[in-house]
Amino acid sequence: MQIGTRWAVGGEPPQAVPVGMRAAIADEERTLVELGADTADWRWTLTFLEGMPVVELDDGTTIRLDGDDVLVTREQ
């Protein structure tokens, strides 16, 4: 069993987050800065679904792996 964790926007993702997902997280955080979003209280949450890492931001943005691809979905 793998245990998930939470960390602040702008913080260092846990080691369990793959490199490709880290890049997607950094891209999302840059976009939030560009939009002027107040993310002071926002957190990322790392969980595992069927053994695969899933990262979700408090606003509903989700980052997951699909084979070698990284998928980013945003709540509408």
Side-chain angles (χ1 to χ4, degrees):
M1 182 169 98
Q2 292 179 294
I3 303 295
T5 190
R6 289 175 56 83
W7 72 97
V9 168
E12 182 69 24
Q15 290 298 316
V17 177
V19 172
M21 290 178 77
R22 289 171 176 265
I25 290 166
D27 287 345
E28 290 300 309
E29 290 183 351
R30 271 191 297 279
T31 298
L32 291 168
V33 168
E34 290 169 4
L35 293 172
D38 179 8
T39 60
D41 294 326
W42 290 15
R43 303 286 181 267
W44 291 100
T45 302
L46 169 65
T47 57
F48 294 88
L49 180 61
E50 297 179 2
M52 299 300 294
V54 177
V55 175
E56 186 173 356
L57 185 58
D58 287 345
D59 75 345
T61 300
T62 303
I63 301 172
R64 66 182 71 230
L65 295 176
D66 182 20
D68 291 335
D69 295 326
V70 176
L71 301 176
V72 178
T73 55
R74 295 169 192 86
E75 286 191 354
Q76 298 293 327

